[in-house]
Amino acid sequence: MYFVQSMIHYYGATRPVGRTGVSSEFLPEEHIEQFRRKRNTSQSQLSSIIGDPCAAREAVKRFVDVGVDELILVMQTGTTSHDLTMESIRTFGEEVLPHFS
């Protein structure tokens, strides 16, 4: 939700300058659990790859199954640290991509 709110805020009618009002707090645990139950199911939107390596492989497979052969990944959003971004890129490259080469 943070990424969507940030994009709407940033690319809306006026481009903000300085500090924004978009929260960087984590979602309540119940929202996270609802998302986990629905991700990578026929009811989930095919637009994101979110989760651990197993969930990421499932999401990439859904893209492959519908004929997508290229993905653009945005791993650094909002308040994500550089170290966490690099860990995500490394994990994706080591534990997800090899299953699709």
Side-chain angles (χ1 to χ4, degrees):
M1 184 60 112
Y2 175 85
F3 184 69
V4 172
Q5 288 177 338
S6 297
M7 295 299 286
I8 291 169
H9 185 78
Y10 189 76
Y11 292 108
T14 59
R15 186 173 175 169
V17 176
R19 202 166 195 78
T20 68
V22 178
S23 171
S24 63
E25 298 298 319
F26 287 106
L27 292 172
E29 191 64 32
E30 65 190 53
H31 291 181
I32 295 170
E33 285 306 315
Q34 284 178 334
F35 170 78
R36 286 182 178 146
R37 283 192 301 275
K38 290 183 181 177
R39 73 178 174 200
N40 297 329
T41 67
S42 59
Q43 293 84 28
S44 67
Q45 185 178 8
L46 186 58
S47 65
S48 302
I49 301 172
I50 301 171
D52 60 17
C54 181
R57 287 189 298 271
E58 291 171 2
V60 171
K61 183 171 181 343
R62 288 183 69 207
F63 281 103
V64 170
D65 289 348
V66 297
V68 173
D69 62 357
E70 292 184 13
L71 295 171
I72 298 173
L73 304 175
V74 177
M75 300 231 182
Q76 196 286 323
T77 60
T79 58
T80 305
S81 70
H82 176 74
D83 290 340
L84 183 56
T85 300
M86 294 309 295
E87 180 183 340
S88 294
I89 292 169
R90 193 173 306 105
T91 300
F92 192 85
E94 292 172 355
E95 298 185 37
V96 179
L97 281 180
H99 295 266
F100 300 95
S101 52

